[in-house]
Amino acid sequence: MADFVRLATIHDLPDGGMRAVEYNGRRIALFRAGETIYATDDICSHDYAELSDGFFDPDDCTVECPLHGSRFDVRTGRPLTLPAVIPIEVFEVQRQGDDVLVRIG
């Protein structure tokens, strides 16, 4: 099983905000809704677009792809609107103090 890696601090993510980080050549999107942090692939499953350039709605925990408008649930990775039909990968997140740790397999 993969270990957790530190990708950010809570101060790197304003409430309702998102950002992308790179780990071992892979883009990971981090989303903050209150005190909860979510992590997903940053690349849309429909076509290459960086989800962190899209719109994050912290109230319903969705991100909208900036290219074609597909929305994904950042808790599950499930696409909620077309044209995307394939889920994005989600990652387990933990906090240790101010550090945001993500398990990347």
Side-chain angles (χ1 to χ4, degrees):
M1 187 166 251
D3 292 328
F4 283 89
V5 294
R6 180 186 178 277
L7 294 185
T9 71
I10 193 70
H11 307 294
D12 296 327
L13 291 163
D15 190 10
M18 65 179 163
R19 71 175 292 190
V21 297
E22 195 162 315
Y23 179 76
N24 281 345
R26 185 172 191 176
R27 289 184 59 87
I28 307 295
L30 301 173
F31 307 90
R32 180 175 174 188
E35 292 302 307
T36 304
I37 308 292
Y38 302 98
T40 72
D41 262 334
D42 188 38
I43 307 304
C44 181
S45 62
H46 166 253
D47 198 356
Y48 187 93
E50 295 171 353
L51 295 174
S52 58
D53 286 338
F55 174 74
F56 172 55
D57 185 339
D59 293 328
D60 66 3
C61 295
T62 61
V63 64
E64 183 177 305
C65 175
L67 188 58
H68 293 116
S70 290
R71 286 180 42 246
F72 296 89
D73 186 320
V74 299
R75 298 167 292 193
T76 65
R78 187 171 67 95
L80 302 173
T81 60
L82 295 172
V85 294
I86 299 170
I88 55 173
E89 188 170 359
V90 297
F91 304 99
E92 185 179 353
V93 177
Q94 288 183 353
R95 279 190 50 199
Q96 287 184 348
D98 289 342
D99 290 336
V100 176
L101 309 174
V102 179
R103 181 179 290 185
I104 303 171

